[in-house]
């Protein structure tokens, strides 16, 4: 049985609309704004010629200089990786358990954070090489390694083990996973249309709304990814369990020693 895209999307939407899902979305938006604020502040400081007044035209920036902007952007980057771990672990729970962000989502954070950073670097380099090569290999690797973050954050695997596990889980399901990615991309694109229109009239409001929309779409995407992961991971386990149960029932039937033929 292949991946059920409709079920994954439905579960993702259900988790996003819970209190816990909304809380995750708000936190993610704040962290995204923190990162872009630091980046823009550093860029604006470099772009502003010495002796001139005011900031550069870059939106969402502060007069904190290059060092201040770089420090803020770095902090945002560090927190964003940590938040990815928290979000994936939280969304690994059923929607009924997401009345708030569940406990235990920050366990072993330092080790998991380091593992995830290494995994993201290796994954990013591999996919980039694939895209530079012939583009198609990049898509193939992107789909094959899509569950890497889940294996690191949820299963506690090391970076290279997680890459290998993702490859194995995606094997035989790459086309459905690619289709799922296309659907999420289209949803993201459609959701961004109103913010693009708003940016024409108010760059600052448009930029902020863009990050708000992308933040919640990202939480939705993570929830969809988690459900896809469980669909594919539980498939063979379910078959094995059914087989074992059938064997037990047959043994129970034969306990009497009679031949029912």
């Amino acid at each position: 049985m292949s991946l059920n895209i409709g079920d994954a999307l439905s579960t993702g939407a259900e988790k996003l609309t819970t209190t816990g899902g909304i809380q995750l979305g708000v936190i993610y938006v704040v962290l995204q704004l923190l990162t872009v604020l630091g980046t823009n502040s550093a860029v604006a400081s470099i772009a502003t010629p010495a002796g001139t007044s005011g900031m550069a035209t870059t939106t969402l920036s502060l007069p904190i200089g290059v060092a201040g902007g770089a420090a803020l952007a770095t902090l945002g980057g560090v927190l964003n990786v940590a938040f990815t771990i928290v979000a994936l672990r939280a969304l690994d729970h059923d929607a009924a358990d997401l009345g708030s962000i569940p406990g235990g989502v920050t366990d072993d954070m330092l080790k998991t954070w380091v593992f995830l950073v290494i995994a993201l670097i290796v994954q990013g380099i591999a996919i980039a090489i694939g895209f530079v090569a012939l583009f198609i290999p990049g898509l193939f690797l992107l789909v094959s390694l899509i569950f890497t973050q889940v294996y690191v954050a949820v299963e506690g695997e090391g970076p290279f083990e997680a890459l290998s596990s993702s490859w194995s889980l995606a094997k035989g399901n790459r086309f459905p996973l690619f289709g799922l990615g296309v659907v999420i991309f289209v949803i993201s694109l459609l959701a961004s249309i109103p913010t693009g229109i708003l940016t024409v009239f108010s760059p600052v409001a448009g930029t902020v709304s863009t990050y708000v929309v992308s933040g919640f779409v990202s939480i939705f995407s993570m929830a969809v990814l988690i459900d896809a992961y469980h669909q594919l991971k539980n498939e063979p386990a379910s078959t094995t369990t059914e087989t074992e149960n059938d064997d037990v029932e047959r043994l129970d039937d034969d306990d009497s020693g009679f031949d029912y033929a």
Side-chain angles (χ1 to χ4, degrees):
M1 187 175 76
S2 61
L3 171 69
N4 190 317
I5 295 178
D7 284 352
L9 295 172
S10 175
T11 300
E14 183 182 7
K15 290 185 178 181
L16 174 64
T17 53
T18 61
T19 301
I22 294 173
Q23 290 173 341
L24 290 171
V26 171
I27 295 172
Y28 192 51
V29 170
V30 171
L31 291 178
Q32 291 295 299
L33 290 174
L34 177 69
T35 305
V36 75
L37 185 62
T39 302
N40 287 350
S41 298
V43 171
S45 297
I46 295 173
T48 303
T52 60
S53 60
M55 298 293 294
T57 56
T58 305
T59 58
L60 296 180
S61 59
L62 295 172
I64 56 178
V66 177
L72 194 61
T74 301
L75 175 63
V78 170
L79 292 178
N80 269 289
V81 174
F83 175 78
T84 298
I85 298 169
V86 169
L88 288 172
R89 288 176 173 176
L91 294 170
D92 189 47
H93 292 72
D94 292 334
D97 299 325
L98 291 176
S100 61
I101 298 177
V105 293
T106 59
D107 293 348
D108 295 323
M109 178 56 70
L110 180 58
K111 181 183 73 173
T112 307
W113 188 94
V114 172
F115 283 172
L116 184 56
V117 168
I118 295 173
L120 289 173
I121 292 173
V122 176
Q123 181 182 8
I125 292 175
I127 293 173
I129 293 175
F131 277 118
V132 170
L134 291 171
F135 187 77
I136 298 300
L139 288 176
F140 180 82
L141 288 170
L142 180 64
V143 172
S144 299
L145 304 178
I146 193 171
F147 296 113
T148 300
Q149 297 179 43
V150 178
Y151 274 105
V152 174
V154 176
E155 301 295 347
E157 293 187 355
F160 299 103
E161 183 184 4
L163 290 164
S164 176
S165 295
S166 178
W167 184 280
S168 298
L169 187 62
K171 185 177 181 180
N173 294 281
R174 292 185 176 93
F175 282 112
L177 286 171
F178 176 75
L180 180 60
V182 170
V183 173
I184 292 178
F185 173 77
V186 172
I187 292 174
S188 177
L189 189 63
L190 292 175
S192 67
I193 292 177
T195 64
I197 297 174
L198 180 60
T199 303
V200 175
F201 300 97
S202 176
V204 174
T207 300
V208 172
S209 63
T210 296
Y211 283 104
V212 170
V213 171
S214 65
F216 280 92
V217 170
S218 295
I219 298 301
F220 167 72
S221 301
M222 289 185 195
V224 171
L225 181 66
I226 285 288
D227 187 75
Y229 163 76
H230 281 296
Q231 283 191 40
L232 299 181
K233 186 173 183 291
N234 291 337
E235 183 180 324
S238 176
T239 302
T240 303
T241 301
E242 291 175 1
T243 303
E244 290 175 351
N245 288 339
D246 288 341
D247 291 341
V248 171
E249 290 175 1
R250 289 169 186 168
L251 287 173
D252 288 342
D253 289 339
D254 292 338
D255 281 346
S256 61
F258 289 102
D259 184 359
Y260 292 93

